Amino acid sequence: MATSGTGSRPPTIADVARAASVSRTTVSHALNGIGKVDPRTRERIKQVAAELGYRPNLRAQRLRRGEAKAIALASSMPFAVAGGASRLGFYMEVAAAAAESALLHGYALVLVPPVRSGSALYSVDIDGAIVVEPDRDDAAVAQLRERGLPYVALGRPTAEGDDSPYVDLHGGPVADLLLAHLREQGARRPALLVGAGARHSAVDARAAYLRAAAAHGWPPVVATAPEEGGEQAGYEACAALLAEHPDTDAVCALVDAFAVGAVRAVRDSGRRIPDDVMVVTRYDGLRARTCEPPLTAVDLHLDQATADAVDLLLARLRGETAATPAAATAPEPRVVPRASSLRRPPPRP
Amino acid sequence: MATSGTGSRPPTIADVARAASVSRTTVSHALNGIGKVDPRTRERIKQVAAELGYRPNLRAQRLRRGEAKAIALASSMPFAVAGGASRLGFYMEVAAAAAESALLHGYALVLVPPVRSGSALYSVDIDGAIVVEPDRDDAAVAQLRERGLPYVALGRPTAEGDDSPYVDLHGGPVADLLLAHLREQGARRPALLVGAGARHSAVDARAAYLRAAAAHGWPPVVATAPEEGGEQAGYEACAALLAEHPDTDAVCALVDAFAVGAVRAVRDSGRRIPDDVMVVTRYDGLRARTCEPPLTAVDLHLDQATADAVDLLLARLRGETAATPAAATAPEPRVVPRASSLRRPPPRP
DNA sequence: CTGAAAGCGCTTACAG
DNA sequence: CTGAAAGCGCTTACAG
């Protein structure tokens, strides 16, 4: 409470020890509740510490204890997708959830913006990281490995030998769900548009799509676009796709930026949405909701998934490697039907 | 490059010194570019360090140097407003911009979620913070002051003697802009709905509104609602306002959650938007854009303002108190007209 | 129950 | 130009 009249720098453990006429060892024990101190001594020390306004120096504690008590959120997703224009995307939604969850456990969340080349992860003092949807050769993952830092992936890692823990975002089932929805709405020749990278969301969706195409007898049409390209790349890929496969009646564009570009391409080709071509996407964010027409998307329960990822990471940091499950499973994804794919009124549950 | 075959823990400066047959002092000088080392020695040391894969221990550096190289983003804004339902708000938009700006300067951004009571700021090792729109008696500011940490406000601080640097978000001019827009669209009796707190956005807007009311001969109608109340509070305040002042023909609801609630209240009272009552808000985020009808809002140039705030803070940390301006000024705000207030087609510039 | 001492990995006067 | 030594503020065996 009271401000120490002594000097200007904050009091150290030595100041407390002196004021309480004990050793620094005893102060440390008393304040950290290690059970080897006389209860009365402990109380006295606590009181003195409070009077002096003592707070342990976090830097010193961390050097000594060998931990940063901080984790980072990192991603190799290109800026155009992860941030860009309105910036309010997948990444920041995950960031908010992760910060809350981390702080609840006494960890700080360091927000590493999706940097282009980024030696970013080297200059930040952290114990580990959450990597959002790592690519097969992910820059963020590479940096973490080189630093020897543990990480948990949000979304199944696709790199060869990567057996790091992860939270499953259900890449395949999400695609299945969207394709089922399209079929239900009358689509007979849906095409798939995915990022050129090898993130689980693209890889698993492609596999699911090919399976569905075989099952239903669709001619499979899969287009890819560079993630860095954002809306424009989606536009171009979709325009090319429609030119080559004019009987396409639905586009499943898993990156929201692509989906918005696809909507433009569909319109520019003289087709109507959803009557001639439906468009659906995955992440239910600003882009999907403000698109004209609003895009059917998927509720991924990102909050829950992110909290699970943080839990997984912290368990690993605690060294519970044995007890820690190798993966958590986010809640069931759910389609949020909107005008971009609704030819019939949505079924009332 | 090469992994040291020695042990498993990362090499320290002592390892480098040993391998290069010099003292730790010299290694430190060589690596930090302090100009007292023979160029050839320096090169040799650098090479050895690289071979060993040496990276300075950030914890140790920071303890020694007495700085955390991290800043926090903090806010006392209630969760319902700052995060809540879709979480994609003002706060996260600022977070993204701040993280990028901070990292560019070698600082990490710690994301402190708008916690309810929050001793949050005590457990985080930072050199300073950006506080978003501090209230007159702001919890985050109080914690920072008690820790003796410098901070910069995003939005003019309203506390009595608070002369901390800040970035002006133009609370008054924003209100003027919105009111002028409403007048232009034909409103003759606009009401103001603000948060009950004393953040600059509420305080300055109220003053601007009263000034405008006097100038144009409106009967001033100002309602307040608790920020924690979110949409529902906005609904109730607006419903009461309309009951008491039935000839209100526009509502300027500066908190986006309030504005969305206001839209419902207007409709439930049997009035149409914008024909009977227009509704406008300040922050142009997800809520404003996805509202039905979409809400007229203001482009605050948050990116630029946030970058300025970070610059201001870092200048203060560098001790450039003298050279540091006491305030920066965000770019001119600009109205983004939408259906919620457009009775006439927008003027073509 | 309490304390003297070592050490976490750096940096920086200070002396040579 | 180079190094021995002190010290940043803690915690933790270890000894009493």
Side-chain angles (χ1 to χ4, degrees), chain A residues 84-105:
Chain A
S86 72
R87 226 159 197 170
L88 306 169
F90 193 94
Y91 193 67
M92 292 313 289
E93 188 164 338
V94 170
E100 217 190 349
S101 186
L103 211 61
L104 231 49
H105 297 279

Side-chain angles (χ1 to χ4, degrees), chain A residues 25-286:
Chain A
T25 305
T26 303
V27 174
S28 181
H29 283 169
L31 263 32
N32 291 314
I34 304 181
K36 306 160 193 167
V37 182
D38 182 296
R40 285 162 313 196
T41 315
R42 180 194 306 276
E43 271 323 302
R44 189 162 49 85
I45 292 177
K46 281 190 171 172
Q47 179 136 5
V48 169
E51 273 165 13
L52 258 44
Y54 169 72
R55 292 193 195 288
N57 178 308
L58 296 171
R59 245 107 65 190
Q61 271 184 337
R62 279 151 203 191
L63 171 58
R64 180 54 232 241
R65 291 182 173 153
E67 53 181 25
K69 281 285 184 186
I71 61 176
L73 182 70
S75 165
S76 68
M77 250 188 271
F79 202 63
V81 174
S86 72
R87 226 159 197 170
L88 306 169
F90 193 94
Y91 193 67
M92 292 313 289
E93 188 164 338
V94 170
E100 217 190 349
S101 186
L103 211 61
L104 231 49
H105 297 279
Y107 279 74
L109 182 86
V110 175
L111 193 57
V112 178
V115 204
R116 299 117 245 255
S117 59
S119 57
L121 276 169
Y122 286 128
S123 61
V124 164
D125 186 26
I126 48 174
D127 298 313
I130 307 280
V131 179
V132 177
E133 301 208 317
D135 207 334
R136 201 188 299 282
D137 59 337
D138 194 272
V141 165
Q143 287 186 46
L144 290 165
R145 294 205 105 105
E146 201 181 325
R147 276 188 62 179
L149 289 173
Y151 64 89
V152 166
L154 186 63
R156 189 177 63 78
T158 50
E160 310 296 320
D162 192 338
D163 57 346
S164 52
Y166 68 96
V167 175
D168 196 343
L169 286 183
H170 308 296
V174 162
D176 286 338
L177 230 46
L178 285 171
L179 294 172
H181 166 82
L182 289 173
R183 258 181 69 77
E184 211 170 78
Q185 294 298 318
R188 291 297 165 255
R189 290 174 168 277
L192 182 70
L193 172 53
V194 295
R199 310 186 190 280
H200 85 101
S201 43
V203 172
D204 294 351
R206 179 193 293 259
Y209 173 85
L210 294 178
R211 226 180 299 120
H216 299 296
W218 310 329
V221 176
V222 179
T224 62
E227 289 174 335
E228 324 77 76
E231 272 187 43
Q232 189 54 29
Y235 177 91
E236 286 161 15
C238 185
L241 187 157
L242 289 172
E244 203 171 337
H245 305 277
D247 51 354
T248 299
D249 61 1
V251 177
C252 183
L254 290 184
V255 175
D256 60 353
F258 291 173
V260 173
V263 163
R264 264 202 299 129
V266 169
R267 289 243 172 86
D268 284 3
S269 78
R271 296 166 169 90
R272 289 162 309 164
I273 300 174
D275 309 75
D276 300 322
V277 177
M278 305 182 217
V279 177
V280 299
T281 191
R282 185 174 74 124
Y283 170 56
D284 187 19
L286 181 68

Side-chain angles (χ1 to χ4, degrees), chain A residues 59 123 125, chain B residues 58-68:
Chain A
R59 245 107 65 190
S123 61
D125 186 26
Chain B
L58 297 172
R59 245 107 64 188
Q61 269 184 337
R62 278 152 204 191
L63 172 58
R64 179 55 231 241
R65 291 181 173 153
E67 52 180 27

Side-chain angles (χ1 to χ4, degrees), chain B residues 29-260:
Chain B
H29 283 168
L31 264 32
N32 291 314
I34 304 184
K36 307 161 191 167
V37 182
D38 183 297
R40 283 162 314 195
T41 315
R42 180 194 306 277
E43 272 323 302
R44 189 161 49 84
I45 292 177
K46 282 191 170 170
Q47 177 137 6
V48 169
E51 273 166 11
L52 256 43
Y54 170 73
R55 292 194 194 289
N57 179 308
L58 297 172
R59 245 107 64 188
Q61 269 184 337
R62 278 152 204 191
L63 172 58
R64 179 55 231 241
R65 291 181 173 153
E67 52 180 27
K69 280 289 184 181
I71 61 176
L73 182 70
S75 164
S76 68
M77 249 188 272
F79 202 64
V81 175
S86 71
R87 228 158 194 169
L88 306 171
F90 194 94
Y91 192 66
M92 292 313 290
E93 188 165 338
V94 170
E100 217 190 348
S101 187
L103 210 60
L104 230 49
H105 297 278
Y107 279 75
L109 183 86
V110 175
L111 192 58
V112 178
V115 205
R116 299 118 243 256
S117 59
S119 55
L121 276 169
Y122 286 128
S123 60
V124 163
D125 187 26
I126 48 175
D127 297 313
I130 307 280
V131 179
V132 177
E133 301 209 317
D135 207 335
R136 200 188 298 284
D137 58 336
D138 195 273
V141 166
Q143 287 186 45
L144 290 165
R145 294 203 105 104
E146 202 182 323
R147 275 188 64 179
L149 289 173
Y151 64 89
V152 167
L154 185 63
R156 189 177 63 78
T158 51
E160 309 298 318
D162 192 337
D163 57 346
S164 52
Y166 67 97
V167 175
D168 197 343
L169 287 183
H170 308 295
V174 162
D176 286 338
L177 232 46
L178 285 170
L179 294 171
H181 166 81
L182 289 173
R183 258 181 68 78
E184 210 168 81
Q185 294 298 317
R188 290 300 166 253
R189 291 175 166 274
L192 182 71
L193 172 53
V194 294
R199 310 185 190 283
H200 86 101
S201 43
V203 172
D204 294 351
R206 182 193 291 258
Y209 173 84
L210 293 178
R211 227 181 297 120
H216 300 295
W218 310 329
V221 176
V222 179
T224 62
E227 287 173 336
E228 324 79 76
E231 270 188 44
Q232 189 55 28
Y235 176 90
E236 286 161 13
C238 185
L241 185 157
L242 290 172
E244 203 171 336
H245 306 277
D247 52 355
T248 298
D249 61 1
V251 177
C252 184
L254 289 183
V255 175
D256 59 353
F258 291 173
V260 173

